[in-house]
Structures are given as structure tokens and as C-alpha cells.
């Protein structure tokens, strides 16, 4: 349906959900804040604006350690353009251990920086393959303004118990299928967009699935921006398959969801 009807209908469903004790997470890519504005009127809202963040989306900070490590790898490997079994990916997996003091992405950057400065790992061994490249990539992204929700250690961890969580992605697009197929360099903001959309839905899935007594809904309007990425589509598919037993609903709004 063209026009604003679907957004109005979705917000009506979400406010009814809150009225009966539920919660929701919505991804809002509109410049007008079509989801952020009404959600801000709730008693316990969380609005994450990637350009002016007040909350951290760092998976190492908002999830339990075992889940956070997996989600951090899922987020960072596509951001760095590597796979989990590449030298960078394997070094990343080795470093994401609590005993090394890595409890956040900024902590990870600190460990990498100290290794580069000393020319050795924390236990005095030579730097493994992938360490320098991992440091270079993470340093680059830490300086991008739109990545502050992941990289700023001074932000409070996102409150997963909020009545409504809205992640604003209006300044971060995803590459089109044509751009990916062309093999040409992709704008950094689109690389970040492709990496962040999947974890955004995972926040809702993990948060709501861990509290099955409270119904939750994950909402994606213009859903193509999530379903067009392999990780985003996989996350959506998991909600479709497992949402019923986790008491989690999925609401998609789009002219072209697939």
C-alpha cells in the first residue's frame, strides 16, 4: 500500500503491544523519524540515532559474554571484509576473551594498539598473522562518526528492557545488488550499513527471546534494506521460524520485502 498507511497501522499495533505489557524494536530509516518520534512519547523509550548516539549497540556490552562474542564476530567480519576463518577473523576470535580484558569493541582496539606498539601479544609472543590488518581496520572504523554507537566507550549500554527501541539508520544505506555485483568499491557508509542492519534485528531477537514471559516484536519498514543482506535475511528467517516459541513477532513493511 502506497502512502503512510502502513506506518500508521504498524505503530498502532506496537502501541497496543506496549499497552498489554510487551515491547518492540523498530529500525527507522526515515529522515522524519516516523518510528522514533511516536516511540519517544512512551514511558521507557530508547532511541539510537547512529549520527548522535546516546546508547551503545556494542554486542560485547549489551549481551551476555557467550552471546556477545558471537554477535561481535558476526558484526565485525563483514565490516572488515574478511571471513571467520581468515587470518584477521581467527585473530579476532582469539582476542575476544574476557581474560584478555576485552569486554567491549573499544577494549579490543586497545589490546590491538598495545600489541602493535610492543610488537608482541599480551603474553609476550609474536603477533599472529592478521593482527596488524585487524588493528588497521578497527582504527579506521573507530573514527567514522556513524560508527560511534559501536566505538564510543562513554555511551551507556542499550537498555534491552525498554518498552520501545528504535534504531535510526537514515544516514546509513546498504549497497544495491547492482553495486555489489559490479565489483566496484562501495562507499564506506554503505559497507557499515550492510554490516549493522543484521545485528540490529539480532538485538531484538536475542532480547525478546531471553524473556519469553513478555511478548516482543521486531519491526522493519522498507524491509528490503535488511533482507537484501545475507546476514539480515538470515536473522529475519530465524525470527520467522523460531519467533513463536520465543514469544517474538516479526512485522515487515515494504513494497519489495525480498
Amino acid at each position: 500500500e502506497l502512502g503512510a498507511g502502513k506506518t500508521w497501522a504498524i505503530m498502532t499495533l506496537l502501541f497496543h503491544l506496549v499497552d498489554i505489557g510487551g515491547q518492540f524494536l523498530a529500525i527507522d530509516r526515515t529522515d522524519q523519524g516516523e518510528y522514533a518520534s511516536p516511540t519517544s512519547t512512551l514511558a521507557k523509550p530508547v532511541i539510537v540515532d547512529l549520527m548522535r548516539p546516546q546508547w551503545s549497540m556494542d554486542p560485547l556490552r549489551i549481551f551476555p559474554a557467550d552471546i556477545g562474542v558471537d554477535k561481535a564476530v558476526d558484526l565485525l567480519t563483514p565490516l572488515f571484509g574478511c571471513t571467520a576463518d581468515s587470518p584477521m577473523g581467527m585473530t579476532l576470535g582469539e582476542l575476544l576473551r574476557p581474560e584478555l580484558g576485552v569486554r567491549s569493541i573499544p577494549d579490543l582496539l586497545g589490546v590491538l594498539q598495545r600489541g602493535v606498539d610492543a610488537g608482541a601479544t599480551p603474553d609476550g609472543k609474536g603477533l599472529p598473522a592478521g593482527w596488524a590488518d585487524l588493528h588497521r581496520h578497527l582504527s579506521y572504523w573507530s573514527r567514522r562518526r556513524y560508527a560511534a554507537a559501536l566505538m564510543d566507550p562513554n555511551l551507556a549500554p542499550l537498555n534491552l528492557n525498554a518498552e520501545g527501541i528504535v534504531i535510526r539508520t537514515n544516514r546509513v544505506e546498504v549497497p544495491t545488488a547492482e553495486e555489489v555485483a559490479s565489483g566496484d568499491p562501495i562507499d564506506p557508509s554503505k559497507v557499515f550499513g550492510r554490516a549493522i542492519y543484521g545485528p540490529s534485528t539480532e538485538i531484538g531477537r536475542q532480547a525478546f527471546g531471553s524473556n519469553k514471559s513478555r511478548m516482543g516484536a521486531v519491526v522493519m519498514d522498507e524491509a528490503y534494506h535488511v533482507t537484501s543482506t545475507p546476514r539480515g535475511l538470515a536473522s529475519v528467517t530465524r525470527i520467522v521460524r523460531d519467533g513463536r516459541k520465543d514469544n517474538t513477532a516479526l512485522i515487515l513493511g515494504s513494497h519489495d520485502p525480498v
Side-chain angles (χ1 to χ4, degrees):
E1 184 67 30
L2 297 176
K6 58 183 172 60
T7 301
W8 183 88
I10 291 172
M11 285 306 308
T12 300
L13 290 173
L14 296 180
F15 272 66
H16 280 306
L17 176 62
V18 172
D19 285 343
I20 62 173
Q23 61 180 149
F24 65 86
L25 178 144
I27 298 175
D28 186 352
R29 59 174 301 273
T30 66
D31 290 332
Q32 299 82 5
E34 292 178 357
Y35 288 88
S37 294
T39 299
S40 66
T41 66
L42 294 173
K44 297 178 180 178
V46 166
I47 312 296
V48 182
D49 186 333
L50 293 182
M51 298 304 290
R52 296 179 296 275
Q54 295 179 302
W55 301 88
S56 172
M57 291 176 60
D58 183 344
L60 295 173
R61 299 181 64 198
I62 64 177
F63 293 128
D66 55 337
I67 297 174
V69 167
D70 290 341
K71 299 311 169 189
V73 172
D74 289 345
L75 167 66
L76 295 176
T77 48
L79 191 61
F80 299 160
C82 67
T83 60
D85 60 353
S86 67
M88 267 203 300
M90 294 179 69
T91 299
L92 175 65
E94 285 295 313
L95 288 176
L96 293 178
R97 293 181 292 159
E99 57 265 32
L100 292 180
V102 178
R103 296 179 175 84
S104 69
I105 293 177
D107 284 350
L108 173 62
L109 181 57
V111 171
L112 289 166
Q113 182 65 61
R114 289 191 291 273
V116 169
D117 293 342
T121 63
D123 56 3
K125 297 179 181 178
L127 297 180
W131 187 291
D133 284 341
L134 192 60
H135 172 258
R136 180 169 55 85
H137 279 79
L138 192 56
S139 295
Y140 171 83
W141 290 110
S142 70
R143 296 190 295 270
R144 305 281 74 79
R145 180 183 174 191
Y146 45 77
L150 297 175
M151 307 297 181
D152 188 342
N154 298 314
L155 297 176
L158 192 151
N159 177 15
L160 299 180
N161 292 316
E163 293 175 331
I165 301 171
V166 176
I167 300 173
R168 299 201 64 188
T169 60
N170 53 308
R171 303 291 181 88
V172 180
E173 299 290 339
V174 297
T176 65
E178 291 77 13
E179 288 176 318
V180 174
S182 72
D184 294 332
I186 298 173
D187 290 344
S189 64
K190 291 187 177 183
V191 174
F192 184 81
R194 181 170 57 182
I196 200 66
Y197 268 99
S200 296
T201 63
E202 279 294 290
I203 289 173
R205 192 180 75 87
Q206 292 288 344
F208 305 156
S210 64
N211 183 8
K212 297 179 176 60
S213 64
R214 184 183 190 184
M215 184 175 181
V218 177
V219 184
M220 286 166 277
D221 207 346
E222 306 301 340
Y224 173 79
H225 288 265
V226 175
T227 59
S228 63
T229 69
R231 281 181 171 81
L233 181 59
S235 182
V236 168
T237 302
R238 281 194 292 269
I239 298 174
V240 171
R241 292 176 175 172
D242 301 332
R244 178 181 57 82
K245 63 184 180 183
D246 291 336
N247 205 17
T248 301
L250 175 68
I251 302 175
L252 299 178
S254 184
H255 307 304
D256 183 12
V258 294

